[in-house]
Amino acid sequence: MNTVSVHALSTGHITIPERFFVTPADPVAKRTVPSLSFLIQHTDGETGKLTRLVFDLGMRRDLNLYPTALRDHLASRGPISTHPDVVASLAAGGLGVDDIDYVVFSHVHYDHVGFPRDFSNPKTKFIVGHGVLDLLSGKTQHDLGKHMVFEPDLLPSDRTTELPPPNAEHHDRFSWERLASFPQAIDLFKDGTVYIVNAPGHLPGHINLLCKTSNQPAKFVCLAGDACHDVRLLTGERDIATWTDETGRHCCMHVDIPSSKETLARLHAASKHGIQLEGEDSPAQVEIVLAHDWAWEREAKQKGKFWPGRL
Ligand SMILES: [Zn+2]
C-alpha cells in the first residue's frame, strides 16, 4: 500500500497574547509561534508519477505586501519573522516553486496564505475549502477581529478549485465521504494516502490534511491548521478564548465555537484511539500537528523533520 512523505517547511512566526487563544489564561503572557507549512510528496503506485503538494504558505516574506488594514494589525503581532519564507524553505531542499503541483490552504487567514503570486507556473493549482471564495470576495463577512481581512485577488481564478459543500452528494473528482470517525473526507489521490478532512469552526472552508506516512504500523499525520492554537484546547485542559477589543467588538479566533469544539473533539479522539479503516485489523495511529504548535516546531527542528528532512 502506498504512503506519502511529509516535510515541515519553516514559513515565519507571529506573536499572540495567550488570552486570545485560551481561557483561563495568563493576562500578560505572549507566545511567539510558528506558522508552519508542509510539503507532501506522492508517487503514483502504478505510473510512478511524482506529485508535490504544499499545505499552506505561511507568512508573506515582505509585510509591505499585505493590505494596509492587515499591516496595522500586524503591528500588534511582533516579534514577527518572515525569513525563511516558503520559497526559501523549499529551496533549502533543492525545490523551486515550479516543482509544486498543488497548493492547498487550510484556510485563508493572512498567516497561512503567504504570497500565492510566487506560484505563477500555469501547472500549479490551488485548492480551497468550501466558502473560501465568498470570504475572499467579501460576500461573507465575520467581524471578529482585525485579522479578518481578505484579498479578493488573492488567488488566480483560472487555477483555483473550491471544494464542493461537505454535505453535497456526488462529485466527480472531489467527493466527500465518511472516513472512520471523520464524517467528511476527500481521498485526494484515490489511493488512501492523502485525505482532505472537513474541519469546520475556525473560518469558512477550514480543512485539514490527513497524510499516510507509514504502513507498518499504519500511521497518519493530520495537519490540523488552526483547528486550535494550543494543544491544551485539544486535550480539554483549556477552553476557547473570547475577548472584547478597544472598540467594544466581540472577538474570537474562531467564527463558530460549537463547530470548533466538535472538530477538536474528533481530532483528540483520533489522536488517542487512532482511526479504524475498513479492512484493517487494528486502528491506524494519528499524530495531530497544529500550524502554530511551538513545542512541536522545536522538537521537529531537533529531529530534522524540516525539508529536506521528513516527518
Ligand atoms: Zn493561523
Side-chain angles (χ1 to χ4, degrees):
M1 274 185 292
N2 210 355
T3 59
V4 288
S5 65
V6 180
H7 317 262
L9 297 170
S10 186
T11 49
H13 296 77
I14 51 174
T15 304
I16 322 174
E18 187 178 290
R19 66 189 179 91
F20 290 173
F21 51 84
V22 291
T23 186
D26 178 334
V28 294
K30 290 182 169 200
R31 272 282 176 193
T32 297
V33 300
S35 200
L36 295 167
S37 303
F38 297 87
L39 166 71
I40 295 96
Q41 303 194 98
H42 172 269
T43 304
D44 188 286
E46 282 172 23
T47 64
K49 180 177 180 271
L50 175 64
T51 302
R52 292 193 182 95
L53 184 160
V54 171
F55 186 63
D56 283 350
L57 298 178
M59 290 292 289
R60 207 160 280 186
R61 68 177 155 274
D62 179 355
L63 298 183
N64 292 314
L65 294 171
Y66 282 117
T68 314
L70 270 173
R71 295 210 295 274
D72 291 347
H73 165 71
L74 283 164
S76 66
R77 287 291 175 267
I80 288 175
S81 81
T82 62
H83 295 279
D85 72 338
V86 70
V87 178
S89 280
L90 286 169
L95 289 183
V97 290
D98 292 343
D99 296 310
I100 305 306
D101 300 284
Y102 293 99
V103 174
V104 182
F105 288 115
S106 64
H107 66 296
V108 289
H109 275 143
Y110 71 89
D111 52 326
H112 298 259
V113 297
F115 195 51
R117 264 165 255 191
D118 286 334
F119 294 79
S120 59
N121 191 311
K123 84 167 190 183
T124 308
K125 312 287 186 222
F126 294 86
I127 297 176
V128 293
H130 188 74
V132 163
L133 298 185
D134 281 351
L135 202 56
L136 293 178
S137 72
K139 197 172 161 195
T140 306
Q141 301 212 351
H142 295 277
D143 189 20
L144 290 167
K146 285 185 193 162
H147 62 293
M148 299 291 278
V149 175
F150 304 101
E151 300 158 275
D153 59 350
L154 182 76
L155 301 173
S157 53
D158 57 334
R159 290 189 285 129
T160 300
T161 299
E162 183 181 84
L163 298 173
N167 51 8
E169 293 238 323
H170 295 288
H171 271 271
D172 300 340
R173 168 92 205 275
F174 301 110
S175 56
W176 294 103
E177 274 158 42
R178 171 167 280 278
L179 177 75
S181 47
F182 296 109
Q184 290 133 345
I186 292 172
D187 185 351
L188 194 58
F189 295 106
K190 308 293 176 212
D191 63 356
T193 56
V194 178
Y195 294 94
I196 293 172
V197 174
N198 187 33
H202 179 61
L203 194 69
H206 186 260
I207 50 179
N208 295 166
L209 211 63
L210 189 64
C211 305
K212 192 174 199 188
T213 53
S214 160
N215 271 318
Q216 297 288 343
K219 191 188 162 188
F220 286 88
V221 173
C222 182
L223 308 174
D226 281 7
C228 65
H229 299 67
D230 188 307
V231 286
R232 292 172 296 176
L233 285 163
L234 257 186
T235 56
E237 293 163 77
R238 289 286 190 281
D239 207 349
I240 292 172
T242 60
W243 71 98
T244 306
D245 73 4
E246 62 281 3
T247 66
R249 171 169 51 187
H250 173 81
C251 297
C252 183
M253 291 279 195
H254 305 277
V255 301
D256 181 343
I257 293 176
S259 290
S260 280
K261 287 186 173 176
E262 282 178 32
T263 290
L264 287 172
R266 269 197 288 275
L267 290 172
H268 186 50
S271 75
K272 261 183 104 172
H273 310 297
I275 50 170
Q276 182 64 54
L277 299 177
E278 261 175 58
E280 299 288 328
D281 296 336
S282 55
Q285 297 170 39
V286 178
E287 178 188 4
I288 310 288
V289 184
L290 303 167
H292 300 300
D293 189 340
W294 60 89
W296 188 91
E297 180 199 40
R298 194 177 47 208
E299 196 185 318
K301 284 213 159 126
Q302 284 164 0
K303 292 187 173 172
K305 294 182 178 181
F306 280 78
W307 172 247
R310 61 185 281 177
L311 270 68

